[in-house]
Amino acid sequence: MNNNSNDSNQSRRRRTDNSHANKNSHQIIKWVISILAVVIIITTFMGYRYYSSSLKPLNPQSNKQIEVNIPIGSTAREVGSILEKKQVVKSGAVFNYYTKKQKLNNFQAGYYVLKPSMTLKQIATKLEKGGAAEPIALNGPRILIKEGENIDQIANSIAKDSKYFTKKDFLKLMKDESFIKQLAKKYPKLLGSAMDAQGVRYRLEGYLFPANYSVSKDTSLKDVVTQMVAKEDAVLQPYYGKIKEKGLTVQQTLSIASLVEMEGSKASDRTKIAGVFLNRIKQGETLGSDVSTRYAVKKSATENLTASDLANPSPYNTRVSTGYMPGPVDNPGENSILSVINADTKDGYLYFFAVTKKTGGHKVGDVLFYKDFDKFNNDVAKYNPEGK
């Protein structure tokens, strides 16, 4: 009996010990799970905070300019890594993730000037437009080409903004066929149709992209012009296929864009204005743009055109010459170029003018479009009596 009693007691103690062990094991597991849950929550929170902070400019108050070189064939991940090393963004990995999510990863090779105060979207958008072909001088004079400036006006800007080059030297370079052929060989998609054009005043008119360009004492005039042409090529890279699909050459596209640049300011107006010009060409009519006539007779926008100016036989004068001009009459910006690529021709408009006299419910600056010539003339008399 005693032996049985002892065995029974031992068995109960073992069950009690096992119960305590199991209870302790469950408690340990709960503690481990709780700790892991806390770690996961903290890690997720910290990761989210890091991601959120990395989306913001690295230093919103910084005006520091940083030159960044994106090599040809760089992946979005590699671009992010370059930007992080150059201290333009906080995290290259976050930049890579963000740009892919936003579908902003069609980056172009080249040299860029970026700032830590820029947002990821601003940086990505700039990288999609393309950079300079040569290193950029961050110190020294800067040459600004404004949208709609022609080569003669750019020559004045170069003489004014740069202490290294003269107007005479720049205009001489614009006539240097050997240099222009070198550029055409380097950028065949961009300059191919320009090289085939006949009767142009300047073969590079329209191909010097409006932007800020830095120069230094070590920068040659050819280097500066090459940067301008390289920038134009970089901007047009995404559109070459679309231009071809529309049955246009680059020269034709930029010629119409150069008119649109000076004729309209709103994006919706510009696509319709481009449509008017293309519709008129399709019907064999003159483009009838005073912008081209002023270029033909070398008059500014503030100078009045005379009857003899309007009758000038220059192929650039679209008051008398049908079809496309020999080439662009100024250097248009990207929005004007896009207006031609996305031209609105469906309504068949053939005429337009801008309102200069507030009456009849129209505001000054409104652009009105017409199919009927008589209706167009009647409204011009009412809303644009000065004929501007």
Side-chain angles (χ1 to χ4, degrees):
M1 290 293 292
N2 288 339
N3 287 337
N4 289 338
S5 177
N6 288 335
D7 290 341
S8 178
N9 289 335
Q10 290 175 358
S11 178
R12 280 196 297 271
R13 279 196 299 271
R14 280 196 297 271
R15 284 198 298 271
T16 300
D17 291 342
N18 288 338
S19 176
H20 285 307
N22 289 336
K23 187 175 181 181
N24 289 334
S25 297
H26 287 312
Q27 288 178 335
I28 292 171
I29 291 171
K30 286 181 179 180
W31 273 104
V32 170
I33 291 173
S34 298
I35 292 170
L36 287 174
V38 170
V39 170
I40 290 171
I41 291 170
I42 293 173
T43 302
T44 302
F45 176 72
M46 294 300 292
Y48 176 76
R49 284 193 62 184
Y50 180 78
Y51 175 76
S52 297
S53 66
S54 297
L55 290 177
K56 299 175 182 177
L58 181 63
N59 185 350
Q61 309 303 320
S62 174
N63 287 318
K64 181 181 180 182
Q65 293 182 321
I66 300 172
E67 184 183 81
V68 176
N69 178 29
I70 304 299
I72 295 174
S74 298
T75 64
R77 185 181 297 277
E78 289 168 339
V79 171
S81 178
I82 291 169
L83 295 176
E84 183 177 345
K85 288 178 181 177
K86 284 285 188 176
Q87 296 184 326
V88 176
V89 300
K90 181 176 182 178
S91 168
V94 171
F95 177 84
N96 176 41
Y97 174 78
Y98 170 81
T99 53
K100 285 185 176 180
K101 185 178 178 182
Q102 299 295 322
K103 297 181 180 179
L104 293 168
N105 52 6
N106 185 29
F107 303 139
Q108 305 295 321
Y111 291 87
Y112 298 84
V113 175
L114 304 174
K115 297 179 181 179
S117 58
M118 297 171 70
T119 65
L120 298 194
K121 184 176 181 180
Q122 288 174 328
I123 294 169
T125 300
K126 191 164 186 177
L127 294 178
E128 283 192 320
K129 291 184 177 180
E134 306 292 338
I136 303 167
L138 295 181
N139 299 312
R142 298 179 69 83
I143 298 170
L144 172 63
I145 296 181
K146 298 177 183 177
E147 294 177 344
E149 281 191 331
N150 60 41
I151 280 177
D152 287 315
Q153 292 168 325
I154 292 171
N156 291 329
S157 296
I158 283 180
K160 176 185 174 184
D161 299 338
S162 169
K163 60 184 179 181
Y164 306 117
F165 315 120
T166 67
K167 177 179 179 179
K168 182 180 178 181
D169 288 339
F170 177 74
L171 292 178
K172 182 180 178 181
L173 187 60
M174 291 297 98
K175 295 289 188 178
D176 187 336
E177 287 295 320
S178 176
F179 170 62
I180 294 170
K181 285 178 182 178
Q182 292 174 11
L183 289 175
K185 187 175 182 180
K186 191 172 184 179
Y187 305 104
K189 285 186 179 181
L190 177 69
L191 292 171
S193 55
M195 299 305 291
D196 295 333
Q198 301 294 319
V200 293
R201 182 178 296 171
Y202 297 111
R203 204 167 292 282
L204 292 181
E205 188 79 87
Y207 294 87
L208 307 180
F209 193 79
N212 252 309
Y213 298 93
S214 298
V215 295
S216 71
K217 63 181 180 180
D218 299 320
T219 308
S220 71
L221 190 53
K222 286 184 178 181
D223 290 337
V224 177
V225 173
T226 300
Q227 281 189 51
M228 296 172 181
V229 174
K231 179 66 174 176
E232 184 85 27
D233 181 64
V235 170
L236 285 180
Q237 279 293 337
Y239 310 129
Y240 285 133
K242 293 179 182 179
I243 290 172
K244 188 175 181 180
E245 285 174 11
K246 291 186 73 71
L248 298 172
T249 65
V250 174
Q251 183 82 341
Q252 291 169 341
T253 301
L254 293 179
S255 293
I256 298 298
S258 70
L259 298 180
V260 174
E261 182 66 55
M262 305 303 289
E263 295 276 16
S265 55
K266 297 178 183 177
S268 57
D269 288 339
R270 285 181 173 183
T271 55
K272 286 185 178 181
I273 290 171
V276 167
F277 289 137
L278 293 177
N279 285 337
R280 290 177 70 87
I281 285 175
K282 189 175 181 180
Q283 294 204 9
E285 297 189 26
T286 61
L287 295 178
S289 173
D290 286 350
V291 173
S292 65
T293 304
R294 293 182 187 282
Y295 187 82
V297 299
K298 297 187 177 182
K299 280 191 172 181
S300 70
T302 58
E303 295 177 277
N304 291 326
L305 293 172
T306 65
S308 62
D309 291 335
L310 298 176
N312 189 289
S314 167
Y316 279 104
N317 182 12
T318 60
R319 285 282 191 166
V320 296
S321 300
T322 58
Y324 293 95
M325 303 166 294
V329 296
D330 58 54
N331 293 272
E334 185 176 5
N335 289 333
S336 293
I337 296 170
L338 277 173
S339 74
V340 180
I341 295 171
N342 301 319
D344 184 355
T345 60
K346 64 180 182 298
D347 291 319
Y349 292 129
L350 295 171
Y351 315 98
F352 71 90
F353 72 90
V355 174
T356 60
K357 182 180 179 181
K358 186 177 180 181
T359 182
H362 296 297
K363 301 189 298 293
V364 172
D366 286 349
V367 179
L368 307 182
F369 297 87
Y370 300 84
K371 299 178 187 177
D372 183 77
F373 184 63
D374 290 335
K375 174 65 173 171
F376 163 74
N377 274 336
N378 288 335
D379 282 1
V380 166
K382 288 190 293 185
Y383 306 126
N384 191 339
E386 304 92 347
K388 295 182 178 179

